[in-house]
Amino acid sequence: MADPTKRVLLAAPRGYCAGVDRAVVTVEKALELYGSPVYVRKEIVHNKHVVTTLQKRGAIFVDETDEVPEGATVVFSAHGVAPVVHEEARALSLRTIDATCPLVTKVHREAVRFADADYDILLIGHEGHEEVVGTSGEAPEHIQLVDGPDDVANVTVRDPDKVVWLSQTTLSVDETMETVRRLRERFPSLQDPPSDDICYATQNRQLAVKQMAADCDLMIVIGSRNSSNSVRLVEVALEHGSRAGHLVDYADEIDETWLDGVATVGVTSGASVPEILVREVLEYLAARGYADVAPVVAAEESIMFSLPTEIRRDLKAAGKSDKMRHDASFAEAGSLH
């Protein structure tokens, strides 16, 4: 039974962004087209459920290119790879499918262009994150990492008049802008990227949380701990007034004591999270009296990316659809869409 004193605020948009959807469908289509196994370098997206589900269907996840047998098929993850990884794949005669998010590819191209113009590139991001590793590999002699506002004091450049900043696409918008502000205090001629590097989906999900947070006693963010954008959503919720916030992969990770004295629960999910996991959290909450669900709509999203060129070509040759839709053949295994 619903408790009239209890409610859920459900963020919109939430969950899959266009780049994640494209990457997941790429692996599904590759399995359909080439059969198992299909190798994937790194996690295709940072979500435990997605990775586990694809493993059950025949995807094999590896950390490095040299773990893929010579001549096999390998998919590069949505986070992007450095040019050296493409070279490694060619040396092993691998069939490669590049599922790098187009918005990450845009940052790679910006890095190459500014490096060619001999700029010092200040890449705002988290050390060791796969996206940062891939972007840095495009121009390692020109790029230095700035890991948040407190790292600004460590930056050194050759020419203060030839400096540009770029960023990882999944960061906190507010923290990134604070980092840029501090960088500009040190380097007044600092150039901005040609267009915003933080992806539309990251910004929209943070915007929804900002609108909800002050009304929430508890914010539950569905997402994995290695998902940068999911971790940021918890931080944004706490910074904007939520009394508590937690990150969970699954509904059964919710500690029922979190609900003690809680009237309003906010629910959202990171950009690599399938909607089925959100539904399970809502069912968990409904069973405990939180059946009143009100959407908080911060933006509308209609962006869709086409599949990578390599797999579209092979799908067409095989007479198969290259549409960005979930394959019915996988429905029994549990939809990822």
Side-chain angles (χ1 to χ4, degrees):
M1 293 289 292
D3 185 329
T5 66
K6 296 179 177 180
R7 64 171 180 162
V8 173
L9 297 181
L10 181 62
R14 62 183 176 276
Y16 272 8
C17 62
V20 164
D21 201 28
R22 174 182 186 262
V24 174
V25 173
T26 294
V27 178
E28 291 176 339
K29 294 281 190 182
L31 287 165
E32 175 191 340
L33 190 58
Y34 310 125
S36 177
V38 166
Y39 290 84
V40 184
R41 186 183 181 278
K42 307 293 187 183
E43 292 188 356
I44 186 66
V45 296
H46 286 158
N47 183 262
K48 184 188 295 185
H49 178 77
V50 169
V51 169
T52 301
T53 303
L54 292 174
Q55 282 176 324
K56 291 176 181 175
R57 295 176 186 174
I60 296 177
F61 292 86
V62 299
D63 284 327
E64 299 300 340
T65 316
D66 60 11
E67 297 174 54
V68 182
E70 189 167 353
T73 299
V74 62
V75 179
F76 295 144
S77 82
H79 307 103
V81 298
V84 67
V85 175
H86 290 280
E87 294 168 11
E88 293 167 354
R90 281 191 290 271
L92 290 168
S93 301
L94 302 180
R95 174 199 278 141
T96 60
I97 303 169
D98 190 352
T100 301
C101 173
L103 300 180
V104 174
T105 299
K106 175 184 77 71
V107 180
H108 283 211
R109 289 175 179 157
E110 291 169 354
V112 170
R113 183 160 70 83
F114 282 107
D116 286 345
D118 201 31
Y119 274 74
D120 280 339
I121 301 166
L122 307 181
L123 177 61
I124 302 171
H126 298 303
E127 186 169 6
H129 190 279
E130 288 153 38
E131 184 185 326
V132 165
V133 172
T135 302
S136 297
E138 293 286 352
E141 294 179 359
H142 287 265
I143 292 176
Q144 64 180 293
L145 181 65
V146 184
D147 197 341
D150 293 340
D151 199 24
V152 169
N154 302 319
V155 173
T156 59
V157 301
R158 295 169 299 158
D159 181 351
D161 291 326
K162 291 199 74 174
V163 187
V164 64
W165 70 272
L166 303 177
S167 84
Q168 182 181 327
T169 62
T170 55
L171 300 178
S172 158
V173 177
D174 295 339
E175 183 176 316
T176 300
M177 290 303 100
E178 174 61 16
T179 305
V180 171
R181 186 189 68 78
R182 294 193 193 183
L183 285 170
R184 188 158 277 123
E185 284 181 351
R186 291 199 58 200
F187 311 110
S189 298
L190 179 72
Q191 284 200 34
D192 296 324
S195 60
D196 199 343
D197 282 350
I198 298 179
C199 92
Y200 75 94
T202 297
Q203 296 188 54
N204 288 345
R205 280 147 192 73
Q206 290 178 18
L207 181 60
V209 167
K210 288 178 183 179
Q211 291 181 7
M212 296 160 54
D215 295 321
C216 295
D217 302 303
L218 168 67
M219 183 74 70
I220 295 175
V221 177
I222 302 126
S224 295
R225 278 160 179 73
N226 63 338
S227 166
S228 176
N229 78 88
S230 298
V231 172
R232 301 288 86 72
L233 289 174
V234 178
E235 294 173 353
V236 169
L238 295 172
E239 288 166 0
H240 286 80
S242 180
R243 263 67 79 195
H246 297 281
L247 182 68
V248 299
D249 268 295
Y250 300 102
D252 63 12
E253 294 178 7
I254 297 172
D255 185 336
E256 201 156 352
T257 63
W258 296 346
L259 300 173
D260 290 348
V262 166
T264 300
V265 181
V267 174
T268 190
S269 57
S272 50
V273 176
E275 184 65 11
I276 187 172
L277 302 183
V278 177
R279 291 199 298 270
E280 290 173 358
V281 167
L282 294 177
E283 288 167 5
Y284 175 98
L285 292 170
R288 287 154 181 83
Y290 298 87
D292 178 13
V293 179
V296 176
V297 181
E300 300 289 339
E301 292 180 353
S302 58
I303 292 176
M304 184 177 289
F305 297 130
S306 59
L307 289 168
T309 303
E310 309 94 332
I311 200 160
R312 279 192 285 124
R313 179 194 61 221
D314 290 352
L315 285 166
K316 185 176 181 181
K320 294 180 179 290
S321 171
D322 66 352
K323 298 300 182 187
M324 271 291 304
R325 293 296 179 214
H326 177 55
D327 294 311
S329 59
F330 288 130
E332 293 182 2
S335 175
L336 285 171
H337 301 272

